[in-house]
Amino acid sequence: MRGREPVMVGERSTGAVIGRIIVYSILIVAALYFLIPFFVMAMTSLKTMNDIRTGNLISFPREFTLDAWGKAWSSACTGINCEGVKGYFLNSVQMVIPAVIISTLIGAVNGYVFSKWRFKGSETIFSFLLLGCFIPFQIILLPMSQTLGVLRIGQSIFGLIFVHIVYGLPFTSLFFRNFYVTIPDEIIKAAKIDGAGFFKIFWKIILPVSLPIFVVAIIWQTTQIWNDFLFGVAFSGSDSQPITVALNNLVNTSTGVKEYNVDMAAAIIAGLPTLIVYIVAGKYFLRGLTAGAVKG
Amino acid sequence: MASLTISEIRKWFGTNEVLKGVSLAVEAGEFLVLVGPSGCGKSTLLNLIAGLETITSGEIKIGDRVVNNVKPKDRDIAMVFQSYALYPSMNVRKNLAFGLETRGIHKDQIEKTVKRVAAMLQISELLDRKPSQLSGGQRQRVAMGRALARDPVIFLFDEPLSNLDAKLRVEMRTEIKELHQRIKTTIVYVTHDQIEAMTLADRIAVMKDGIIHQFDTPQQLYDNPSNIFVAGFIGSPSMNFIKCKLVKKAKELSVVLENRKGDSFLLPVGKADKSLEKWIDGDVILGIRPERIATGFHEQEGNPQIHEIECAVEVLEPTGPDTLVFVNINGGKVTCRVSPHAAKLPGESMKLMIDMSKALLFDPETQNRIGR
Ligand SMILES: Nc1ncnc2c1ncn2[C@@H]1O[C@H](COP(=O)(O)OP(=O)(O)OP(=O)(O)O)[C@@H](O)[C@H]1O
Ligand SMILES: [Mg+2]
């Protein structure tokens, strides 16, 4: 842990104390600002409809109940189906896992090539690839839907996986490349002289130091793909919709009374996986982004 | 152990010509040092020999085999890098074994080799440590060990000591020399430290701007440099270069030196022969090493090559065994190496003896050596 400021010992000046108070106040207010909506959601999802009608928005439930969660999971209506979000949640899982794994692995190889096996024009190819990070995805909806049609994977989970891999690659390639450029080229040269080739160097020398950037790429991709709505709504069939689309349908399905508690429960279900990923691995995300590959 | 023959090598990076026709013939078992200022193309040349870069034109032979299109792993060379380039995820044992494993050598054999090399370099206790847990000197040893384990026909060293502190550098220098005397493998060693070059080399190639200026034994380079660059690069403190007039007086050629006060001294530089005729009554550059200007020399009585001049001391730099005295001659700073008790204080005038037997003359325009 180099670069940390030395700990101040002894009395602090009043100015420093006031500064601290101001900083913490701002941070607390900001945290509350972000947390209150979530708090309201969580509370609402635990209330009965009766409670919602009579109480106010930020009050605690008079009686805690998981009924709304159960309904959201297995019997709420999304459009004409009334089987809850369960199936769509599984769709999302089936989409996210392969899409994240494949886009991350290809990104790692790409980053390896762009940093350590440059060839004539590789920088140009890399800059084109980076354009993918900035393309507004609305632009590619039509051509992509044609492409999926040609590949015969339109309206399916495979189609969604494909799209997410393609549009994840610019990011994962960038992450891995920027991480791998911090590995000294001389290490690669030494390995070449030692008789290792492209894949052996990748496997034996590069991959073992890549954990931090894998964490970054996986968190990034999981969050992006899980939260995606646009591709989900555009390219899925009725049986392959991801949870984000299902949530939208659920909230927009009006059969008499609006069940806020069910809506909120479904919304939290939809957001829970990324929340957990963040809580479990969030600190590695920052660490991985700022870390170099080789210490010392 | 194999010879290395490099013929007319050129290397372009894009529009930038980095090596401009380099030729070298290194005998089997020889210790060659490539020396030159930063950016002159030393590492590039080493990378070409290793096969890590492709040559634009020319030919490289290891032994009798032309290796222009041979991959690095098939050239039977080993390289030690400036940054050591240890594999960060592997412990020392694996680092040493990696090159052997990729060549499919038997496990028992690898283990034996690793043990032998580790013992030789005194790193046996470090075998289970990761590179990040080693000190600079230990890493350096491991890097050498990795090269030794392979038992190649040529070793390539790219500034292997430049990341070490001064004391360790001197120790490792001696160790490398001992190592070479023991294993007698051909070594090409890059450095920009001329002392390293002088102490280690059988022969030194002095490079600048992608050209080899001189390729010779250390003593020859020191005594007979072929131009001002080589003369100034080899030796510390550096040779003095004094711009002066060449005059002819009764068949004798002399240079004219003048101190700050305006006293002038005539120093003979030998018989007037054809090779110097062109410069008579013109300017030449006198090259003389600091240790050739002192308060006295052995057997100086009656030696016609030794002459006295008198100059005011400007600055003193004691080094311990000697003191460097800076004086002003012909408007330029000149370093003299005198014994500490003989040095006068700044401002005082001092008698100095100049030994002209090793003095050199250079052409101010081409910077090349003239005469003799
Ligand atoms: N891959 C490359 N692409 C473009 N130019 C390069 C490349 N490698 C080296 N050069 C250039 O070639 C010249 C020689 O570089 P080289 O690394 O051989 O110098 P060097 O003599 O080893 O210097 P140093 O003592 O600083 O290590 C430099 O001007 C450098 O900028
Ligand atoms: Mg170099």
Side-chain angles (χ1 to χ4, degrees):
Chain A
M1 283 290 139
R2 268 168 294 165
R4 257 209 200 155
E5 284 180 20
V7 181
M8 294 268 285
V9 187
E11 286 176 38
R12 293 231 185 110
S13 71
T14 349
V17 173
I18 292 175
R20 277 285 129 131
I21 291 174
I22 292 175
V23 167
Y24 277 111
S25 312
I26 292 174
L27 289 177
I28 288 169
V29 168
L32 284 179
Y33 184 78
F34 284 108
L35 281 176
I36 283 178
F38 183 71
F39 175 77
V40 170
M41 280 173 73
M43 287 306 122
T44 309
S45 74
L46 295 170
K47 288 176 185 173
T48 60
M49 274 313 289
N50 209 8
D51 203 345
I52 293 172
R53 267 192 295 272
T54 54
N56 77 25
L57 200 60
I58 53 170
S59 64
F60 278 94
R62 258 167 282 166
E63 55 174 314
F64 286 88
T65 167
L66 287 173
D67 288 354
W69 283 72
K71 186 168 183 194
W73 183 247
S74 55
S75 67
C77 295
T78 57
I80 49 167
N81 279 340
C82 289
E83 293 169 353
V85 297
K86 180 176 52 184
Y88 306 102
F89 189 92
L90 289 181
N91 280 349
S92 272
V93 171
Q94 283 174 31
M95 168 183 76
V96 165
I97 290 176
V100 167
I101 292 176
I102 296 174
S103 62
T104 303
L105 285 181
I106 300 181
V109 176
N110 277 355
Y112 173 51
V113 170
F114 286 130
S115 59
K116 296 292 173 237
W117 293 81
R118 292 191 190 154
F119 50 92
K120 216 175 175 130
S122 66
E123 291 289 290
T124 321
I125 295 178
F126 182 64
S127 18
F128 276 118
L129 189 62
L130 279 195
L131 272 185
C133 295
F134 303 104
I135 286 183
F137 288 151
Q138 290 81 349
I139 292 181
I140 54 94
L141 286 182
L142 281 178
M144 183 48 86
S145 127
Q146 285 177 324
T147 309
L148 292 178
V150 170
L151 295 174
R152 301 187 179 281
I153 48 175
Q155 312 284 298
S156 74
I157 288 192
F158 295 112
L160 280 176
I161 293 173
F162 177 78
V163 175
H164 283 301
I165 291 174
V166 169
Y167 286 96
L169 279 182
F171 292 97
T172 54
S173 302
L174 175 67
F175 291 151
F176 281 99
R177 178 201 174 266
N178 284 1
F179 185 75
Y180 289 155
V181 290
T182 66
I183 298 178
D185 286 343
E186 292 192 338
I187 290 182
I188 310 297
K189 289 182 180 176
K192 280 186 195 169
I193 292 178
D194 267 347
F198 182 89
F199 282 109
K200 186 156 222 164
I201 295 175
F202 186 57
W203 196 250
K204 292 268 188 168
I205 291 162
I206 302 286
L207 275 188
V209 296
S210 303
L211 183 66
I213 202 64
F214 265 97
V215 174
V216 169
I218 288 173
I219 292 179
W220 176 266
Q221 283 297 85
T222 307
T223 316
Q224 292 296 309
I225 300 174
W226 185 276
N227 287 344
D228 165 72
F229 179 74
L230 185 64
F231 289 157
V233 81
F235 301 133
S236 64
S238 56
D239 59 349
S240 58
Q241 286 170 341
I243 182 111
T244 45
V245 177
L247 177 64
N248 176 62
N249 292 348
L250 182 142
V251 174
N252 287 337
T253 303
S254 48
T255 47
V257 197
K258 194 123 196 71
E259 294 177 290
Y260 289 109
N261 51 356
V262 177
D263 291 355
M264 295 301 178
I268 295 177
I269 290 172
L272 215 49
T274 50
L275 197 64
I276 289 172
V277 166
Y278 173 74
I279 291 171
V280 172
K283 65 179 176 198
Y284 298 107
F285 186 73
L286 193 71
R287 223 179 270 171
L289 270 185
T290 51
V294 183
K295 290 170 205 77
Chain B
M1 156 158 84
S3 64
L4 170 70
T5 317
I6 295 170
S7 328
E8 271 301 309
I9 283 202
R10 287 171 192 277
K11 175 64 184 174
W12 292 75
F13 283 118
T15 56
N16 181 15
E17 189 177 21
V18 175
L19 294 179
K20 305 168 182 168
V22 169
S23 301
L24 284 172
V26 187
E27 284 161 28
E30 194 173 15
F31 198 131
L32 167 74
V33 173
L34 276 174
V35 66
S38 196
C40 71
K42 306 182 296 289
S43 299
T44 306
L45 182 54
L46 220 52
N47 282 336
L48 291 177
I49 298 171
L52 295 166
E53 301 270 3
T54 51
I55 52 180
T56 312
S57 74
E59 187 185 84
I60 299 180
K61 265 162 74 176
I62 294 177
D64 295 326
R65 182 167 68 137
V66 177
V67 294
N68 284 20
N69 298 313
V70 177
K71 288 204 172 133
K73 68 182 168 86
D74 299 323
R75 292 191 180 197
D76 206 4
I77 43 117
M79 190 156 170
V80 177
F81 295 90
Q82 181 172 4
S83 63
Y84 314 139
L86 302 180
Y87 309 128
S89 61
M90 302 181 195
N91 63 21
V92 171
R93 186 190 311 277
K94 293 235 176 72
N95 262 284
L96 296 180
F98 186 71
L100 304 172
E101 277 166 12
T102 56
R103 284 175 164 72
I105 288 170
H106 194 268
K107 260 207 178 116
D108 300 342
Q109 182 64 36
I110 293 180
E111 201 168 314
K112 251 199 254 162
T113 310
V114 168
K115 254 200 194 131
R116 177 177 56 81
V117 169
M120 186 149 105
L121 291 169
Q122 296 157 12
I123 47 174
S124 303
E125 319 80 68
L126 308 176
L127 284 177
D128 293 316
R129 294 216 204 148
K130 290 269 178 71
S132 58
Q133 299 164 317
L134 299 176
S135 73
Q138 291 169 333
R139 283 180 209 185
Q140 210 282 331
R141 273 166 204 273
V142 176
M144 300 245 303
R146 196 170 58 182
L148 283 172
R150 290 254 324 280
D151 195 21
V153 295
I154 297 182
F155 281 113
L156 305 175
F157 289 86
D158 193 354
E159 310 203 23
L161 305 183
S162 60
N163 282 338
L164 301 180
D165 65 52
K167 187 161 174 289
L168 202 52
R169 196 150 63 212
V170 174
E171 282 172 24
M172 286 307 293
R173 197 168 76 196
T174 317
E175 279 190 35
I176 290 177
K177 186 147 193 178
E178 279 172 4
L179 188 75
H180 178 248
Q181 280 163 2
R182 200 151 14 125
I183 61 175
K184 299 210 167 53
T185 305
T186 314
I187 294 182
V188 180
Y189 185 108
V190 164
T191 177
H192 54 239
D193 178 352
Q194 55 92 21
I195 298 184
E196 248 174 55
M198 292 293 284
T199 50
L200 287 173
D202 291 326
R203 278 193 295 169
I204 301 177
V206 184
M207 276 183 85
K208 189 188 168 201
D209 297 335
I211 292 172
I212 293 196
H213 281 251
Q214 197 168 352
F215 179 34
D216 228 325
T217 62
Q219 200 60 51
Q220 272 297 319
L221 282 181
Y222 193 78
D223 291 337
N224 291 310
S226 61
N227 58 34
I228 290 188
F229 170 71
V230 176
F233 198 84
I234 302 289
S236 171
S238 186
M239 182 184 271
N240 294 302
F241 298 108
I242 308 166
K243 195 166 189 178
C244 48
K245 208 172 194 113
L246 186 69
V247 295
K248 185 174 176 182
K249 220 167 132 194
K251 293 210 166 160
E252 279 264 304
L253 287 181
S254 303
V255 289
V256 187
L257 301 187
E258 197 178 288
N259 67 14
R260 216 191 252 294
K261 278 199 316 211
D263 309 328
S264 71
F265 308 91
L266 212 57
L267 302 186
V269 291
K271 294 257 177 310
D273 68 30
K274 268 241 166 66
S275 61
L276 288 172
E277 209 133 89
K278 194 173 132 195
W279 284 274
I280 290 173
D281 293 325
D283 281 338
V284 293
I285 289 179
L286 170 71
I288 185 146
R289 296 208 179 268
E291 67 267 24
R292 296 286 139 201
I293 313 178
T295 44
F297 296 95
H298 290 299
E299 296 154 18
Q300 106 183 29
E301 285 305 315
N303 185 335
Q305 305 255 42
I306 293 178
H307 305 271
E308 189 183 82
I309 63 171
E310 188 162 356
C311 287
V313 175
E314 309 215 318
V315 180
L316 287 181
E317 273 183 14
T319 64
D322 305 301
T323 294
L324 301 181
V325 173
F326 295 88
V327 299
N328 189 301
I329 295 177
N330 288 10
K333 197 165 78 174
V334 170
T335 317
C336 323
R337 190 172 214 156
V338 307
S339 56
H341 59 85
K344 295 271 173 63
L345 293 176
E348 292 176 359
S349 192
M350 189 171 170
K351 284 204 168 72
L352 293 163
M353 308 304 267
I354 298 192
D355 175 3
M356 294 298 283
S357 61
K358 296 260 166 102
L360 307 170
L361 295 179
F362 299 95
D363 180 342
E365 262 162 50
T366 64
Q367 313 252 305
N368 286 333
R369 176 92 178 277
I370 52 179
R372 256 179 284 188

